[in-house]
Amino acid sequence: MNATGKFAGFTVGLVVIFGAALALGSVAGPDVAEPAAHTAGDGGHDAGGHGAAGHDAVADPTPGGLSPTADGYTLELASDQVTAGAAVPVQFRITNPSGVPVTDYTPEHEKLLHLIVVRRDLAGFQHVHPTLDAAGTWSVPLDLGRGGDYRVFADFTLAGGEGVTLGTDLRVAGTYDPQELPAPAPTTTVDGYTVTLDGTLRPGETSNATLSVSRDGRPVTDLQPYLGAYGHLVALRTTDLGYLHVHPEGHPGDGATAAGPGIDFAVTAPSAGDYRLFLDFQHAGAVHTAEFTATAGPEEK
C-alpha cells in the first residue's frame, strides 16, 4: 500500500524532498543506536536501550519495535514501497493518539530521533538521523541499493514523556540476494579493526557484555565520543527483529569510563535463540560498525 495517499502533507515530489533533506541536514554514519531506556509498554528506551542500568535488577525483557503503534503513537511512512537506489529519499512522521504529527521531542544521545534500518535477513544495517520539518515530517536519504523487505525502527523520546521505539516494514523493489545469518563468533573485523565480544547472553536476565577494539594487534585506547558515548549497540532478535535491552555503561568525561579498548554494555535477551549485534564506534574521525551473531542459551529452570 502506498501511504502517500494515506495522509495529507506528503505532496512534494521525492526528488524535491531529497534535495531539501540534503540542504537541511546530513545523515550520520552507521550508528548503532544505543538502544534506549524506554518503558516496556512502548517498546522504547527501557525496552531497547539508551542509558545506564543496574546489574542487580533484571530489566523488562519485552522487545521493542515490533509494531508501528504503541501507546497510541504511530510510525507512518509516506510510502512503504520504494525502488532500490544508493540514496533513496524516505519520509515519515510520528502521530499521537489523536492522529496529529508529533513535533516536540527530547534529544537522546544528541539527536531528536534515531532511525535504524536493516533488511529482514539482517543485512544492510544503517543508523541515521533524519531532518524534522515544522509540520512534523521527517526526511532522510537511505542507502537501499539492494532489494528486499526492510525493517525501519524509529527510536525517540517524547517531550516531557517516555522513550518510544516503533517499527514498520519498507519494501524495496530490486534484485534480492538473501544472506545467510553469520554463525556466532566472538570476534569480527571491520575497516581494519578487530572487535572482540566478551560475555554470554542469558535469556530473561541482564548480562554484562564488553566489546573490545584493537587495530594491527594493538588495543585502541583513544576511542572518540560518538553521540555522547564511546560506543552504541543495537541488538535484534533474529526471529522477529525485536529490540533487546542494551544499556551502555558510563559516558565520556565522567572520570571513570575509559576511551577503550573495552566498551561495556548491559544486555537483556528476552528469550533463547540467536541475536544480531551492531556496534558503532568512532576512531580517528570515522565511525565504524562491527557486527556479531550471538546466542542466548536455554532459559535456566
Side-chain angles (χ1 to χ4, degrees):
M1 176 184 69
N2 189 320
T4 305
K6 184 168 63 175
F7 56 83
F10 289 94
T11 57
V12 182
L14 288 179
V15 174
V16 176
I17 291 166
F18 181 37
L22 290 178
L24 290 172
S26 62
V27 179
D31 177 13
V32 154
E34 334 104 78
H38 307 213
T39 64
D42 58 21
H45 295 48
D46 274 353
H50 313 329
H55 291 279
D56 294 333
V58 176
D60 188 317
T62 306
L66 294 176
S67 172
T69 299
D71 293 341
Y73 291 89
T74 301
L75 167 60
E76 298 182 354
L77 294 175
S79 175
D80 58 11
Q81 298 183 36
V82 297
T83 300
V88 179
V90 171
Q91 282 194 308
F92 64 93
R93 64 184 189 176
I94 307 297
T95 58
N96 66 17
S98 299
V100 177
V102 177
T103 58
D104 199 4
Y105 298 83
T106 295
E108 284 285 344
H109 290 282
E110 304 179 355
K111 298 293 180 180
L112 293 181
L113 184 144
H114 299 263
L115 194 73
I116 308 300
V117 182
V118 66
R119 204 166 63 176
R120 279 201 165 269
D121 62 354
L122 293 165
F125 176 87
Q126 297 172 72
H127 174 170
V128 298
H129 302 110
T131 298
L132 177 66
D133 69 15
T137 296
W138 294 92
S139 302
V140 66
L142 295 176
D143 182 0
L144 302 173
R146 296 180 290 181
D149 289 342
Y150 286 72
R151 191 68 176 171
V152 177
F153 299 95
D155 185 353
F156 58 92
T157 297
L158 301 165
E162 301 291 342
V164 181
T165 299
L166 304 176
T168 193
D169 286 337
L170 175 65
R171 294 182 175 180
V172 179
T175 302
Y176 180 42
D177 57 341
Q179 305 294 306
E180 293 289 338
L181 181 70
T187 301
T188 190
T189 58
V190 57
D191 304 330
Y193 293 86
T194 298
V195 183
T196 301
L197 171 63
D198 182 15
T200 301
L201 300 185
R202 298 186 300 272
E205 299 181 19
T206 298
S207 306
N208 297 324
T210 299
L211 293 109
S212 298
V213 182
S214 64
R215 188 176 190 182
D216 299 326
R218 295 188 296 272
V220 174
T221 58
D222 57 346
L223 292 172
Q224 296 169 326
Y226 179 58
L227 301 175
Y230 287 125
H232 297 282
L233 186 66
V234 164
L236 301 175
R237 185 165 59 184
T238 61
T239 53
D240 57 6
L241 304 194
Y243 258 69
L244 276 68
H245 294 262
V246 183
H247 306 277
E249 299 294 319
H251 58 83
D254 63 4
T257 304
I263 310 167
D264 298 325
F265 296 91
V267 184
T268 303
S271 61
D274 290 334
Y275 295 84
R276 193 68 170 156
L277 311 183
F278 302 89
L279 171 72
D280 279 348
F281 63 94
Q282 181 167 278
H283 185 246
V287 177
H288 310 276
T289 302
E291 304 183 7
F292 291 85
T293 300
T295 300
E299 296 185 34
E300 296 182 3
K301 298 182 179 179

